[in-house]
Amino acid sequence: MVVIGIAGGTCSGKTTLAGRVRKRLGSRCSVLPLDNYYRISELPFEERARLNHDLPDSIDWPLLRRHVEML
């Protein structure tokens, strides 16, 4: 397995690039957007609105790791 990490600032084209790579590689490629791993689902709306998504603690790293290992 090859893992490709795409990083960059807001609106820098990360999602567009990931989509193009996936389209080119087809079923051999999985995309795991880091946005899917924010710890927000269990929080009330007021706390979600105040959450700083730039902090590493806002990500559920153990869940992301399990998903990568499953691949």
Side-chain angles (χ1 to χ4, degrees):
M1 171 179 22
V2 174
V3 176
I4 300 171
I6 301 172
T10 302
C11 296
S12 62
K14 300 177 299 288
T15 302
T16 301
L17 178 59
R20 289 181 181 172
V21 169
R22 183 171 190 181
K23 186 175 181 180
R24 173 70 66 101
L25 296 177
S27 63
R28 298 178 295 157
C29 178
S30 296
V31 176
L32 296 176
L34 199 56
D35 291 351
N36 293 352
Y37 294 91
Y38 283 120
R39 298 178 188 265
I40 60 172
S41 60
E42 70 277 3
L43 298 176
F45 176 77
E46 295 78 22
E47 289 184 48
R48 289 194 313 260
R50 291 191 308 264
L51 183 64
N52 182 347
H53 291 87
D54 294 328
L55 297 176
D57 289 350
S58 65
I59 302 291
D60 188 344
W61 296 107
L63 179 60
L64 174 61
R65 181 180 178 145
R66 282 196 311 270
H67 287 174
V68 170
E69 288 171 346
M70 288 170 62
L71 289 172

